[in-house]
């Protein structure tokens, strides 16, 4: 199931890029990010209420709050950078560079989460990096 959800994430991320590139024309990148964020907030809270998870708020630990807030700040910074880059550059160049986050995530997961860094993951990182360079040059 995780694979299908991850594939769905990739498909929706691709749609996000194309729809954003079309929608950002003549709109400030910060305003576009704010509009996108409001839609995401409404969808996320809608899912919380549809799945009846709102009662779980009181059970969230202080540590979880801190890291969820930090994650939210990172998301906001990512989106602000992404929309400005998308406004200024071609989607076919911005999106591959944005996807270098896969390589950065693997490295950070190894350093901070102590996840396994195998020969396969090293090769994947090298190939993703090389593929990104090929696409943007």
């Amino acid at each position: 199931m995780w694979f299908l959800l991850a594939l769905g994430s990739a498909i929706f991320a691709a749609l996000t890029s194309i729809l954003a590139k079309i929608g950002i024309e003549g709109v400030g990148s910060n305003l576009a990010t704010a509009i996108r964020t409001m839609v995401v907030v409404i969808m996320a809270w809608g899912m919380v209420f549809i799945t009846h998870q709102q009662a779980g708020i009181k059970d969230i630990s202080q540590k979880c709050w801190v890291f969820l807030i930090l994650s939210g700040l990172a998301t906001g910074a990512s989106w602000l950078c992404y929309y400005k880059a998308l406004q200024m550059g071609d989607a076919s160049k911005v999106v591959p560079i944005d996807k270098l986050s896969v390589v950065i995530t693997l490295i950070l997961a190894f350093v901070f989460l102590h996840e396994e860094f195998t020969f396969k993951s090293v090769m994947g990182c090298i190939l993703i990096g090389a593929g990104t360079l090929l696409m943007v040059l």
Side-chain angles (χ1 to χ4, degrees):
M1 185 63 169
W2 66 266
F3 180 81
L4 293 176
L5 290 169
L7 187 58
S9 175
I11 292 166
F12 286 118
L15 284 171
T16 297
S17 303
I18 300 305
L19 296 170
K21 183 64 178 176
I22 295 167
I24 204 167
E25 189 175 317
V27 179
S29 62
N30 293 333
L31 177 58
T33 302
I35 292 167
R36 174 187 180 191
T37 302
M38 288 307 302
V39 172
V40 171
V41 166
I42 291 166
M43 283 183 63
W45 279 107
M47 287 305 297
V48 166
F49 285 103
I50 287 170
T51 59
H52 306 289
Q53 294 180 9
Q54 63 272 20
I57 291 174
K58 66 183 180 322
D59 300 324
I60 299 173
S61 71
Q62 185 175 1
K63 176 187 172 187
C64 288
W65 273 111
V66 168
F67 281 95
L68 289 171
I69 289 167
L70 290 172
S71 174
L73 291 171
T75 298
S78 172
W79 287 2
L80 289 167
C81 291
Y82 180 76
Y83 264 68
K84 190 63 176 177
L86 199 56
Q87 189 174 51
M88 297 169 69
D90 294 336
S92 61
K93 291 191 170 40
V94 170
V95 174
I97 294 171
D98 177 65
K99 297 310 171 202
L100 280 176
S101 64
V102 171
V103 174
I104 297 166
T105 299
L106 289 173
I107 293 167
L108 293 176
F110 173 74
V111 172
F112 293 108
L113 303 176
H114 310 292
E115 292 186 5
E116 190 176 355
F117 212 59
T118 64
F119 176 76
K120 197 167 52 171
S121 57
V122 170
M123 289 307 297
C125 285
I126 291 169
L127 290 171
I128 290 169
T132 299
L133 286 175
L134 279 173
M135 286 193 279
V136 298
L137 294 178

